[in-house]
Amino acid sequence: MTFEDFLARQLDGLLRYATTLTCDPHQAQDIVQEVVLRAQQRWSRISRTDQPAAYVTRMVTNEFLSWRRRRSTRELPLNPADLTDYETDQTGRVDDRTVLLASIATLPRKQRAAVVGRYYLNRTDDEIATELGCTAATVRSHISRAIATLRTRLDSPRQVTL
Amino acid sequence: MNNIEDLIRDALNHQATQAPPASSVHTRQATRQRRWLVPTAIAATMAAAAVVLYSVNHAPAGGVTVGTSEAPVDWSPTWMLPGFTEHNRSTAVDGSYAFTSWFAGPVDARDSQWVRLNTYPRTKEPCDDSMDGAERVTVAGNPGVWFASSPSLSLCWSTPTGQFSLSSYNVLAGRSEFIRIAESLRSAPRNPLHVPLTATFPVSDHPGVPLLAGIKGDTPDAPTMYLTSTDTPDGIYSVGICTTKPADPLGTPVPTRNTTGWWTRDEHNFEKLTVPVDTRWLVVTYLPTGGHRDPHTEALAQLANTVVAGPTPATPWIGGRP
């Protein structure tokens, strides 16, 4: 498979994955752009791996994790308290999806990556652990804490009521 | 929906729909990529008979209908590595590039050997020589770049009529052989690529829809003409018209085109719907690009319904050599 073929098949999915990780399409584009350039340079080696797509997806994950560290001053994750401009349902309450997205954006990066791995990519805890370089128990801990946080936010609509 | 896990899935899937279009990355990547991948450029004296004959129309139902008639620029080598025969001629529907590939031995093997000629008639930039190990070369008087990174090799050269590249995989050859192929290129207004096939893909409305049309095959009597869409919300759809019955197991029956198609999905969630069409076979496929694991049986059946295929053209070039 050529690099061009790979891009044709996978780029869309990489962008969607990066968007769920970053909660920011612009940052997702920057991250995928960086990864694509590096993957191109290493393509002869990547293409020989069993799963080039999984390899590049992991590059996106790593880029997301390090990107936040390098550029934390640039990143402005949505805060549920800043949702005054977001769409609301007919009763004036911020809908669950909007609250969740804003809340996911404030999760610690590894919790966010673990949540995306389980609920967007449908990966097992072991697969997520490999991706994040930790144990499956740690993955479960990340997800458990994340869900607890998200549930609290969902149960506290006053924080996001217009 | 009140389970928090379902709510999270819904929120993330919605978030994914906000992703930027693939074309935004392609565009920014294209210049750099093509510079080193595409060494080409035969003399400016060669006529650039580029006529894009493909059309893309937005269908009322929200999809995009791709129609094809003839092919764009046709450059062809007059010399090729021993043992390699032509397998595929394809072009981007927007006319931005076209390619032809040659294989030695099995096409689908993991260690298959291939050489591919890419032409980019609209690309005027010089080839990128910034890669570690890249060497500047001259191809028929035009500047080029040779880059070897085993098992991949590439020769890029730029000409007044656009950029060209030769790329290969698992090929035991050197710079001199690649330059020989490159310098043998001639504008070939011989048999234009003709793909009489239309389909309505479930794609988004991004400009410059990246669709590919082409014909491929192992022997001249068994060509497959195909269209591939890479700009769909959730994966890659392709339609192909085969002249021989696919060897795969037939799978689950699915009604489509007033007949019965046969649907299969492999361990990688690659889905295939095979439908008999006159004396030929329509094969519609779906390859997920994200975490999508839901069957796309209905989407494949709908796409199959939109396919209109003309007679499969004669393809004497398949399996041939310069």
Side-chain angles (χ1 to χ4, degrees), chain B residues 174-247:
Chain B
R175 183 175 60 184
S176 60
E177 286 98 333
F178 271 59
I179 291 178
R180 181 176 177 185
I181 297 171
E183 293 189 331
S184 79
L185 284 195
R186 298 292 181 272
S187 176
R190 38 176 187 172
N191 301 320
L193 182 63
H194 180 56
V195 187
L197 187 60
T198 64
T200 300
F201 288 89
V203 301
S204 52
D205 289 333
H206 302 151
V209 181
L211 291 157
L212 203 62
I215 298 181
K216 59 186 177 181
D218 294 331
T219 59
D221 59 348
T224 294
M225 51 183 183
Y226 73 93
L227 299 171
T228 295
S229 166
T230 61
D231 189 28
T232 62
D234 55 354
I236 298 169
Y237 290 89
S238 292
V239 300
I241 294 289
C242 308
T243 52
T244 55
K245 184 177 180 179

Side-chain angles (χ1 to χ4, degrees), chain A residues 4 9 12 16 40-41 119, chain B residues 29 36 120 232-233 289:
Chain A
E4 294 156 294
R9 291 186 175 199
D12 233 23
R16 286 198 295 272
Q40 178 183 355
Q41 293 169 350
Y119 297 112
Chain B
Q29 168 74 357
W36 69 269
Y120 301 91
T232 62
T289 51

Side-chain angles (χ1 to χ4, degrees), chain B:
Chain B
M1 182 189 300
N2 50 18
N3 179 292
I4 190 165
E5 294 189 327
D6 289 338
L7 289 172
I8 293 171
R9 284 193 178 90
D10 168 72
L12 291 172
N13 283 325
H14 174 76
Q15 181 76 287
T17 65
Q18 310 303 309
S23 56
S24 63
V25 174
H26 270 306
T27 300
R28 294 166 61 185
Q29 168 74 357
T31 301
R32 177 176 180 149
Q33 180 182 20
R34 289 171 188 168
R35 275 193 222 146
W36 69 269
L37 273 182
V38 182
T40 311
I42 292 303
T45 53
M46 290 185 163
V51 182
V52 178
L53 330 135
Y54 293 82
S55 62
V56 178
N57 298 303
H58 289 269
V64 167
T65 299
V66 181
T68 66
S69 56
E70 299 175 40
V73 185
D74 190 3
W75 297 90
S76 185
T78 56
W79 186 83
M80 179 47 64
L81 298 169
F84 284 77
T85 57
E86 195 166 355
H87 177 266
N88 186 341
R89 292 183 182 181
S90 299
T91 181
V93 168
D94 66 0
S96 58
Y97 76 99
F99 69 84
T100 304
S101 57
W102 289 263
F103 280 78
V107 171
D108 296 327
R110 187 177 180 82
D111 57 350
S112 61
Q113 304 174 57
W114 52 259
V115 175
R116 174 167 148 165
L117 168 67
N118 308 281
T119 63
Y120 301 91
R122 299 175 189 167
T123 303
K124 305 303 180 187
E125 294 88 353
C127 301
D128 189 356
D129 61 358
S130 65
M131 306 296 293
D132 290 341
E135 299 175 40
R136 294 183 183 181
V137 298
T138 299
V139 178
N142 297 287
V145 176
W146 164 255
F147 182 69
S149 179
S150 180
S152 300
L153 307 172
S154 74
L155 174 66
C156 171
W157 68 108
S158 57
T159 75
T161 58
Q163 274 197 358
F164 297 76
S165 76
L166 279 167
S167 52
S168 74
Y169 190 74
N170 271 340
V171 173
L172 296 175
R175 183 175 60 184
S176 60
E177 286 98 333
F178 271 59
I179 291 178
R180 181 176 177 185
I181 297 171
E183 293 189 331
S184 79
L185 284 195
R186 298 292 181 272
S187 176
R190 38 176 187 172
N191 301 320
L193 182 63
H194 180 56
V195 187
L197 187 60
T198 64
T200 300
F201 288 89
V203 301
S204 52
D205 289 333
H206 302 151
V209 181
L211 291 157
L212 203 62
I215 298 181
K216 59 186 177 181
D218 294 331
T219 59
D221 59 348
T224 294
M225 51 183 183
Y226 73 93
L227 299 171
T228 295
S229 166
T230 61
D231 189 28
T232 62
D234 55 354
I236 298 169
Y237 290 89
S238 292
V239 300
I241 294 289
C242 308
T243 52
T244 55
K245 184 177 180 179
D248 297 337
L250 288 176
T252 305
V254 172
T256 183
R257 298 179 68 92
N258 297 319
T259 184
T260 299
W262 303 91
W263 177 84
T264 60
R265 180 166 67 166
D266 68 12
E267 67 275 19
H268 303 297
N269 296 316
F270 177 74
E271 299 180 40
K272 180 188 292 186
L273 179 62
T274 304
V275 187
V277 174
D278 50 60
T279 59
R280 299 172 293 177
W281 293 83
L282 166 64
V283 179
V284 185
T285 64
Y286 166 74
L287 178 69
T289 51
H292 305 278
R293 295 187 178 181
D294 296 332
H296 285 60
T297 320
E298 185 176 343
L300 290 176
Q302 289 177 356
L303 176 55
N305 274 328
T306 71
V307 173
V308 177
T312 301
T315 50
W317 48 269
I318 290 180
R321 291 179 47 77

Side-chain angles (χ1 to χ4, degrees), chain A residues 28-131:
Chain A
Q29 182 176 332
D30 287 346
I31 284 177
V32 171
Q33 185 71 64
E34 292 251 357
V35 167
V36 163
L37 289 173
R38 281 191 283 112
Q40 178 183 355
Q41 293 169 350
R42 304 172 188 171
W43 185 244
S44 61
R45 183 163 57 86
I46 294 173
S47 63
R48 293 198 300 271
T49 63
D50 289 338
Q51 295 179 305
Y55 187 96
V56 178
T57 300
R58 187 169 183 180
M59 290 175 71
V60 170
T61 306
N62 291 339
E63 187 71 15
F64 162 67
L65 297 175
S66 61
W67 188 281
R68 278 180 54 88
R69 285 195 289 272
R70 291 201 317 264
R71 311 189 185 198
S72 58
T73 56
R74 283 184 48 192
E75 190 174 17
L76 299 172
L78 283 174
N79 186 308
D82 297 329
L83 285 173
T84 53
D85 290 333
Y86 276 69
E87 180 181 358
T88 60
D89 66 19
Q90 293 179 348
T91 66
R93 292 181 58 179
V94 177
D95 66 79
D96 289 342
R97 178 192 286 166
T98 305
V99 174
L100 271 178
L101 288 177
S103 302
I104 289 170
T106 65
L107 292 174
R109 58 184 180 276
K110 287 207 171 182
Q111 284 187 24
R112 206 192 307 181
V115 166
V116 171
R118 177 182 285 184
Y119 297 112
Y120 178 67
L121 295 181
N122 296 315
R123 288 184 170 169
T124 66
D125 292 345
D126 286 336
E127 290 170 333
I128 298 169
T130 301
E131 186 95 4

